[in-house]
Amino acid sequence: MAPNVVSPTPPWWQTAVVYQIYPRSFCDTSGNGIGDIEGIRSRLDHLEWLGVDALWMSPVFTSPMADHGYDVADYCDIDPLFGDLAAMDTLLADVHDRGMRVILDWVPNHTSDQHRWFMESRSSNDNPRRDWYYWREGTSDKPPNNWQAVFPAGPAWTFDEASGEWYLHLFTPDQPDLNWNNPDVRAAMADTLRFWLDRGVDGFRMDVVHMIGKDPTLPDLLSGPGSPLLEYDEPSTHQHLREIRRVLDAYDGDRCSVGEVYLLEPDVVATYYGNDDELHMSFNFMSVWTGWDADAWRRVVKGAQDAFDPVGGWPTWVLSNHDLPRHRQRFGGDAAIARAAVLLLLCLRGTPFMYAGEELGLVDAEVAPDQIQDPSGSRDGCRAPIPWEPGHGHGWPAAKNWLPFPPEAALRNAQTQRVDPASIAWLYKDVLAERRGSSALQRGSQELLEGLCDGILAWRRSYEDDERIIVINMTNEDVEIDLAEPTMIRMSSVASHQNGNEDHAFDGGIPANSGMILVPRR
Ligand code: TEU
């Protein structure tokens, strides 16, 4: 087994739990049915109550909202829909006052077609910014290569009648890809990072960052027409990431990056950490493609250990985000599974990323076909407004919000759950507190425990004399295991085990679809 090396004083982001906020859906204070920055600020007590360390905000920059903010028209300003720079500065100050951090969402692969850079680039074939994007000659019936957009269905190219050339967009035609081969683009994008670093942000989530480097000849995908997203791995990206890292490292305070490297082989993802000179962290999306199945999870955990440990890359864990069906839904909707998944996400070695609303055990909203907002058509369900209160409007002032509420909002809302110690929100809070009090859970080594029983995922975390064993029963049957060492139950995902602060002797029984944190009996 690889050594799982632990550094003596880890940077804050290695011991942190990050809470992702999709600002449109978090909390509306202006009354237009869309969440805003002031709404986030007004709910910081919830984050503090929960005990998370940092919040990551999906983009709030100036945008025509063709992809709800992932189409940025000005990286250095706030869209009026969400507030303004002053509101952002106030939020930053308030988050910092509460001892938490802010991670912004930086979208380097593409801008909006309404960004002034693209408008200039598009204005004529000899504009000085022409080369800031990928323009290629061709006839209107044949795109320059076989790349397809991730969404909507169709080529990753749009023909511009005025100039008789095509431009590249891995996503919608409103999201033209920046040409990172151009040093002026790299310098301008580095400036956008400095703008926010100077204002005090603690890090960046970097959108599809593995796609920024491109072979300028843009060759066809050998596998045939499709999106390069899940397979593209271009050497120049690593050079760009080293430059980006130097921008962050020039600031104090362990400013960090977490890359959305959408490649499904952990070994390849790990190369994006470089020699500790590229990304600080990367998502490893194997977890979101894995069902409620212990064997599959063992492979994912082992895959991460084998990929990240040898290169000293700090792992990350994620179950839900704004692009995917919520994990409770993916795992079949069972409330017990959602509770056991709390231990899965928060006790594996690495930085966990929660998605707002998972602490309420939410499933996705149902959105009528004629109400769909998302350009991909499939992601609205997990972007439903967060229910804050049980009553009418659930704490949202408008008569109608940009999306409907998720199911069971009268029960699955922050106010109701926060006064119920048996709720999933309290389970998150308790496990987060346990994590914070345990160097084993925060930064300890990790060893998978093999061969205990079919359907059981179990692992040991150790740091000096602090130790935890986590066991999760991913089956619909109660099972018995023999750990061959006496342990006490510190915490269980089963509500009835949770009450009282005393550890209980572990007799080997683990109820169906539940998890436990165990400590050695001393
Ligand atoms: O997502 C990248 C992306 O394409 C995947 O999330 C996924 O394949 C897609 O959502 C499936 O429909 C990032 C952002 O997270 C996403 O919200 C943006 O739309 C996208 O980049 C473009 O910026």
Side-chain angles (χ1 to χ4, degrees):
M1 163 146 317
N4 277 288
V5 179
V6 186
S7 66
T9 47
W12 69 268
W13 45 266
Q14 287 191 355
T15 54
V17 175
V18 182
Y19 182 94
Q20 182 195 355
I21 289 177
Y22 194 68
R24 291 178 78 86
S25 306
F26 196 64
C27 178
D28 173 23
T29 57
S30 70
N32 63 356
I34 295 175
D36 43 52
I37 290 173
E38 180 56 22
I40 297 173
R41 201 176 72 83
S42 73
R43 297 292 179 182
L44 290 180
D45 67 326
H46 179 67
L47 274 61
E48 212 177 337
W49 176 84
L50 208 55
V52 296
D53 304 280
L55 58 102
W56 146 32
M57 296 162 68
S58 280
V60 287
F61 314 112
T62 313
S63 166
M65 305 289 166
D67 189 12
H68 302 312
Y70 284 95
D71 49 323
V72 179
D74 185 348
Y75 292 92
C76 301
D77 206 350
I78 299 293
D79 196 277
L81 196 58
F82 295 124
D84 54 20
L85 281 172
M88 190 69 200
D89 286 341
T90 309
L91 174 67
L92 264 173
D94 281 16
V95 173
H96 287 158
D97 280 352
R98 290 172 189 251
M100 294 186 285
R101 318 266 181 161
V102 176
I103 293 176
L104 294 186
D105 205 320
W106 187 60
V107 187
N109 177 70
H110 44 268
T111 69
S112 163
D113 64 344
Q114 301 303 307
H115 196 295
R116 84 186 151 80
W117 300 340
F118 186 72
M119 294 200 288
E120 286 176 31
S121 179
R122 176 176 222 166
S123 65
S124 76
N125 300 43
D126 57 4
N127 182 278
R129 288 219 166 90
R130 186 68 171 178
D131 181 54
W132 280 41
Y133 295 82
Y134 289 101
W135 290 97
R136 293 292 181 269
E137 292 173 349
T139 53
S140 62
D141 57 343
K142 193 172 184 317
N145 72 11
N146 67 359
W147 293 10
Q148 301 291 299
V150 177
F151 55 81
W157 294 92
T158 289
F159 188 70
D160 180 54
E161 296 285 347
S163 61
E165 291 188 340
W166 296 82
Y167 69 87
L168 176 70
H169 51 84
L170 293 184
F171 294 89
T172 72
D174 318 88
Q175 294 166 291
D177 279 40
L178 278 167
N179 176 12
W180 278 74
N181 294 309
N182 183 319
D184 295 337
V185 168
R186 301 201 293 272
M189 288 304 286
D191 282 345
T192 67
L193 289 173
R194 289 189 195 97
F195 178 87
W196 289 108
L197 291 165
D198 288 340
R199 292 182 107 87
V201 309
D202 302 286
F204 300 92
R205 178 265 189 187
M206 302 188 168
D207 192 66
V208 289
V209 75
H210 68 296
M211 290 299 313
I212 61 177
K214 293 184 181 75
D215 175 344
T217 67
L218 299 175
D220 275 339
L221 293 179
L222 296 176
S223 47
S227 167
L229 191 78
L230 298 177
E231 58 186 89
Y232 206 71
D233 182 31
E234 162 66 26
S236 62
T237 300
H238 297 277
Q239 180 58 37
H240 304 326
L241 287 174
R242 285 190 286 274
E243 281 184 27
I244 290 167
R245 175 63 172 259
R246 285 197 289 273
V247 174
L248 299 187
D249 283 353
Y251 286 77
D252 61 3
D254 288 323
R255 315 294 176 102
C256 71
S257 55
V258 50
E260 191 201 25
V261 176
Y262 227 115
L263 299 172
L264 296 182
E265 286 177 43
D267 293 352
V268 184
V269 174
T271 64
Y272 286 76
Y273 289 69
N275 186 20
D276 193 20
D277 58 357
E278 296 185 27
L279 292 170
H280 293 95
M281 293 180 280
S282 171
F283 286 108
N284 168 22
F285 286 115
M286 294 309 292
S287 58
V288 302
W289 298 106
T290 304
W292 190 246
D293 173 323
D295 284 341
W297 269 96
R298 203 169 295 116
R299 283 194 294 275
V300 169
V301 172
K302 188 165 185 325
Q305 288 181 173
D306 291 350
F308 298 117
D309 290 352
V311 297
W314 185 249
T316 62
W317 295 98
V318 59
L319 294 177
S320 287
N321 66 29
H322 65 295
D323 290 334
L324 297 158
R326 286 183 176 275
H327 65 265
R328 177 172 168 203
Q329 180 126 358
R330 290 203 321 271
F331 290 153
D334 187 321
I337 294 180
R339 295 178 63 95
V342 181
L343 273 61
L344 178 65
L345 178 70
L346 298 180
C347 297
L348 285 168
R349 180 171 184 270
T351 297
F353 287 75
M354 297 174 54
Y355 178 51
E358 72 176 65
E359 78 276 24
L360 306 176
L362 296 182
V363 293
D364 289 358
E366 284 192 24
V367 181
D370 64 341
Q371 300 293 308
I372 285 175
Q373 306 285 325
D374 173 28
S376 91
S378 63
R379 303 174 296 182
D380 287 334
C382 66
R383 299 175 178 182
I386 300 295
W388 293 101
E389 297 167 12
H392 181 72
H394 302 300
W396 286 66
K400 187 169 189 289
N401 301 307
W402 80 289
L403 284 171
F405 285 105
E408 297 186 296
L411 174 70
R412 300 198 170 277
N413 65 80
Q415 186 181 312
T416 303
Q417 296 218 6
R418 280 174 54 170
V419 295
D420 175 8
S423 68
I424 186 169
W426 268 88
L427 180 61
Y428 271 94
K429 177 181 172 59
D430 286 345
V431 178
L432 283 164
E434 172 70 8
R435 193 180 193 280
R436 196 172 281 218
S438 162
S439 19
L441 288 178
Q442 274 195 321
R443 44 193 296 220
S445 61
Q446 173 170 282
E447 177 201 352
L448 276 167
L449 304 181
E450 309 276 0
L452 285 173
C453 175
D454 282 353
I456 294 287
L457 181 72
W459 66 100
R460 185 193 310 269
R461 302 291 311 278
S462 316
Y463 185 86
E464 295 173 350
D465 58 358
D466 188 36
E467 191 171 310
R468 297 289 182 282
I469 292 174
I470 300 92
V471 286
I472 301 187
N473 177 357
M474 294 190 172
T475 74
N476 294 323
E477 312 288 332
D478 299 354
V479 297
E480 293 267 336
I481 60 167
D482 181 4
L483 277 179
E485 58 188 294
T487 55
M488 305 287 283
I489 301 174
R490 171 60 52 87
M491 205 165 275
S492 162
S493 69
V494 177
S496 58
H497 285 236
Q498 221 180 302
N499 299 330
N501 294 324
E502 281 180 26
D503 296 345
H504 306 272
F506 176 56
D507 64 5
I510 315 168
N513 294 316
S514 76
M516 292 174 183
I517 301 177
L518 308 172
V519 290
R521 184 188 289 174
R522 298 203 197 277

